[in-house]
Amino acid sequence: MADTALLVIDMQNDFCPNGALAVQGGDEIIEGINALMDEHNCIVLTQDWHTAGHSSFASSHAGKSPYELVEMPYGPQVLWPDHCVMGSKGAAFHPDLRTDAAQMIVRKGFRTEIDSYSAFFENDQTTATGLHGYLQERGVKNLVLTGLATDFCVAYSALDAARLGYKVELRESLCRAIDLDGSLKAAKAGMLEAGVTIA
Ligand code: VGL
Ligand code: ZN
């Protein structure tokens, strides 16, 4: 499994219970993810990492509420409660997550004017995070995906990874979803269509 990497998406305080954008049961998957780290020798964590006043925050748009949709120059964007502001406690990894085994931490969403769900490309689908280059240089061909949230950052990462030519396996039991208006069902259908294995 030398050519396989474990990708752990956004296991941060703000996405866990009591966080600013809590995903139901987000903390339930930590133990399983920690255990899975023992089976991998390439481990990458991602961290949602926004500026204060980020354009994906509803609070940055007069008259808008969280979960409303707005049109950005790069396309439609869901507005969120303020979350994962760089350097804040909410942006820190959940304290129970093992971070020692990770060799790479990718931060994303740090440009005020553009959101980044995927670990590979920002939401304009062209601005790269650099992760693809890192994985290529390490000879990685297969990816195992876990983390939060199944229907946003995990799904966008899985779709980009499949498009880039990786063989992608989603560990569904080690993910939790936001499930906005059927977004989980749509995300799963999209991933299956892209050739992602849902285990
Ligand atoms: C996420 C919404 C906003 C995620 C990040 O990690 O899925 N969702 N920012
Ligand atoms: Zn975010």
Side-chain angles (χ1 to χ4, degrees):
M1 290 231 299
D3 57 357
T4 300
L6 173 64
L7 206 49
V8 180
I9 306 291
D10 296 3
M11 290 304 305
Q12 295 162 265
N13 289 320
D14 269 346
F15 296 122
C16 289
N18 303 314
L21 179 38
V23 180
Q24 203 181 357
D27 55 345
E28 295 168 3
I29 61 177
I30 297 171
E31 217 182 284
I33 291 173
N34 286 345
L36 195 56
M37 290 183 187
D38 286 331
E39 297 173 27
H40 291 271
N41 46 36
C42 180
I43 300 169
V44 176
L45 312 180
T46 69
Q47 225 171 355
D48 210 36
W49 198 253
H50 298 310
T51 49
H54 193 264
S55 60
S56 73
F57 297 168
S59 62
S60 303
H61 301 260
K64 295 288 181 191
S65 307
Y67 311 109
E68 281 188 59
L69 209 60
V70 291
E71 207 53 47
M72 297 288 214
Y74 53 83
Q77 169 72 47
V78 179
L79 296 178
W80 304 104
D82 291 24
H83 65 279
C84 296
V85 172
M86 45 180 71
S88 68
K89 182 159 178 271
F93 290 114
H94 188 288
D96 295 339
L97 183 76
R98 271 178 67 189
T99 57
D100 56 344
Q103 297 124 359
M104 178 66 163
I105 296 175
V106 177
R107 288 172 170 170
K108 60 185 180 63
F110 50 76
R111 291 185 177 87
T112 299
E113 65 285 359
I114 179 165
D115 202 5
S116 186
Y117 294 149
S118 165
F120 293 94
F121 294 101
E122 302 195 10
N123 286 9
D124 61 1
Q125 296 187 307
T126 47
T127 306
T129 62
L131 179 58
H132 182 43
Y134 175 79
L135 294 174
Q136 276 185 312
E137 290 209 301
R138 288 198 58 183
V140 170
K141 305 266 188 282
N142 313 297
L143 294 175
V144 175
L145 256 71
T146 63
L148 304 171
T150 322
D151 43 349
F152 286 92
C153 290
V154 176
Y156 276 68
S157 299
L159 291 176
D160 281 347
R163 186 160 55 86
L164 290 167
Y166 296 93
K167 191 170 167 292
V168 185
E169 179 190 318
L170 180 87
R171 280 303 162 89
E172 201 181 6
S173 63
L174 296 179
C175 297
R176 290 291 183 275
I178 295 173
D179 206 10
L180 255 189
D181 291 329
S183 58
L184 177 58
K185 194 164 171 248
K188 281 175 72 173
M191 286 189 277
L192 287 172
E193 197 178 285
V196 172
T197 303
I198 302 185

